[in-house]
Amino acid sequence: GAVVSQHPSRVICKSGTSVKIECRSLDFQATTMFWYRQFPKQSLMLMATSNEGSKATYEQGVEKDKFLINHASLTLSTLTVTSAHPEDSSFYICSAESGAAETQYFGPGTRLLVL
Amino acid sequence: AQKITQTQPGMFVQEKEAVTLDCTYDTSDQSYGLFWYKQPSSGEMIFLIYQGSYDEQNATEGRYSLNFQKARKSANLVISASQLGDSAMYFCAMTRSYSGAGSYQLTFGKGTKLSVIP
């Protein structure tokens, strides 16, 4: 149980285009999902907390107009990187909280390369 | 603000031996959770073990155990009988205060790269 999928696993796009990343909880409902960013050989940095049916909460320094988050249902959250630039190239990983045990289960991540 | 410190950037262990990965934390919260995650080269984050701050017994999950010393604010991960497949990055994390209903954000340490030698 507690499986989280993420799509796509890898995407290459041109500078200026927008990219949508989907995060799904497959076998449980997640009121809250989290979006992280990870640069090579670094730790995970929380970008935003996504709550179903309400606006996402962004961490300090994260541009909410650039990283659009939509938590449309209890099993789906999407992150859209708008007008992507090369500096947005990174590993984006989502997680979903399962049950009352505080545990977050992570998706497999999405590697974004902006040319 | 919470802080997680992992002082070992890299560790080596012989196959079948036990290894301890260090993690210390700092928080002003009375109630918190501590986690260890494994990240292989593929990038996925695999949940290993959880310890609640009020749990009196150390958490164990198969070959993984968490040596929780609350007074020292440490939550070391012990892997027994290391296997080649254990080679990966290991992240210690803890929950942090969050106003969202029933949800807990995580703060991660910088990670320790474990290499298991045959």
Side-chain angles (χ1 to χ4, degrees), chain B residues 28-82:
Chain B
S28 56
D29 290 346
Q30 294 300 310
S31 178
Y32 50 88
L34 295 157
F35 300 82
W36 278 91
Y37 286 89
K38 171 184 177 181
Q39 187 178 41
S41 57
S42 58
E44 62 189 303
M45 292 286 284
I46 302 168
F47 165 70
L48 295 179
I49 197 166
Y50 163 81
Q51 176 87 40
S53 59
Y54 287 106
D55 294 339
E56 295 184 352
Q57 290 194 330
N58 287 343
T60 59
E61 289 286 348
R63 295 186 299 112
Y64 305 106
S65 61
L66 198 152
N67 185 0
F68 180 46
Q69 298 190 37
K70 194 170 182 178
R72 293 185 178 183
K73 293 188 175 180
S74 74
N76 298 340
L77 176 71
V78 180
I79 305 175
S80 63
S82 297

Side-chain angles (χ1 to χ4, degrees), chain A residues 38-57:
Chain A
Q38 186 180 29
F39 290 106
K41 298 185 180 181
Q42 294 191 22
S43 187
L44 276 72
M45 296 299 295
L46 179 66
M47 297 176 65
T49 302
S50 169
N51 296 295
E52 189 267 337
S54 63
K55 291 183 179 181
T57 303

Side-chain angles (χ1 to χ4, degrees), chain A residues 6 9 11 14 16 45 48 54-55 58 63 65 70 72-73 75 83 91 97 99 110:
Chain A
Q6 206 170 324
S9 58
V11 58
K14 291 183 179 180
M45 296 299 295
S54 63
K55 291 183 179 181
Y58 290 82
E63 300 176 58
D65 294 329
N70 182 18
S73 73
T75 59
S83 187
F91 186 61
E97 190 178 86
T110 297

Side-chain angles (χ1 to χ4, degrees), chain A:
Chain A
V3 178
V4 177
S5 71
Q6 206 170 324
H7 177 80
S9 58
R10 190 183 300 268
V11 58
I12 301 173
C13 68
K14 291 183 179 180
S15 185
T17 61
S18 294
V19 175
K20 180 186 281 189
I21 303 170
E22 292 187 350
C23 178
R24 293 180 185 271
S25 56
L26 297 184
D27 51 359
F28 65 101
Q29 292 184 330
T31 306
T32 304
M33 292 184 174
F34 303 88
W35 287 96
Y36 295 85
R37 184 174 182 176
Q38 186 180 29
F39 290 106
K41 298 185 180 181
Q42 294 191 22
S43 187
L44 276 72
M45 296 299 295
L46 179 66
M47 297 176 65
T49 302
S50 169
N51 296 295
E52 189 267 337
S54 63
K55 291 183 179 181
T57 303
Y58 290 82
E59 294 299 294
Q60 193 173 11
V62 177
E63 300 176 58
K64 62 180 180 180
D65 294 329
K66 181 167 187 62
F67 298 100
L68 300 179
I69 291 172
N70 182 18
H71 198 145
S73 73
L74 289 172
T75 59
L76 173 64
S77 176
T78 60
L79 168 68
T80 302
V81 183
T82 62
S83 187
H85 288 97
E87 57 265 29
D88 298 325
S89 299
S90 190
F91 186 61
Y92 293 87
I93 190 166
C94 72
S95 71
E97 190 178 86
S98 173
E102 309 176 27
T103 302
Q104 291 183 24
Y105 293 90
F106 285 81
T110 297
R111 296 191 187 278
L112 171 63
L113 177 61
V114 184
L115 303 176

